Amino acid sequence: MDFWHWEKQLLWAINGWGSPEWNGFWVGVSYTPWSFPIYTALLVWIGYRFTLVKRAQVLGMVGFLILLSDQTSQFFKQGVGRLRPCHEPELEGTLQLLKDNCGGSFGFFSAHASNNFGLFFFFYLLIGQYAPNTFWVNTARIGLLFWAALVSLSRVVIGVHYPTDVLFGMLVGLFYGWLVYQLTLKWFTKGKA
């Protein structure tokens, strides 16, 4: 059996996790405003932990991270041209599409996965560098990983991405999170803030 066969099997298995009781949850997790409480808490921490100049630097780098991740995803989507599973004629009638619409035509790779894993890893590293090593800090760092994974998984459950769209997006996000963190550290050490 080929890769396409295994990917469809995995897609159907994960997409099948949707149920009338849980559909609203999976759609909600995939809906960006559900992330606002987490990112508000991170903004409060940034405001508490850093000087005004470093706050602006961190927020600027977070914006750069999201822009880089999102635009790379769009470049790949147009360049690769892989249809989302909900647009794939061969899969028509075999998926639960839990959203009102499928989204754009192409889905490789998932910007949700890339953005969330990029933010997770950036803040995981930043918090590790600038917050005390306590139970609650480590719990928050693990919570960020859990949220990024849940958002990414939701994209398959609701039927708008293949598992490999999400996996590749996660890997790109991890790389960009690390890269932007490194750039942030260099920027921090260039001047006194």
Side-chain angles (χ1 to χ4, degrees), residues 77-106:
K77 285 175 182 173
Q78 296 306 314
V80 173
R82 180 182 186 185
L83 290 175
R84 291 177 182 265
C86 46
H87 287 309
E88 180 62 57
E90 184 181 331
L91 298 175
E92 191 173 327
T94 66
L95 292 175
Q96 297 183 79
L97 179 59
L98 303 183
K99 286 180 60 177
D100 294 337
N101 62 55
C102 184
S105 297
F106 305 123

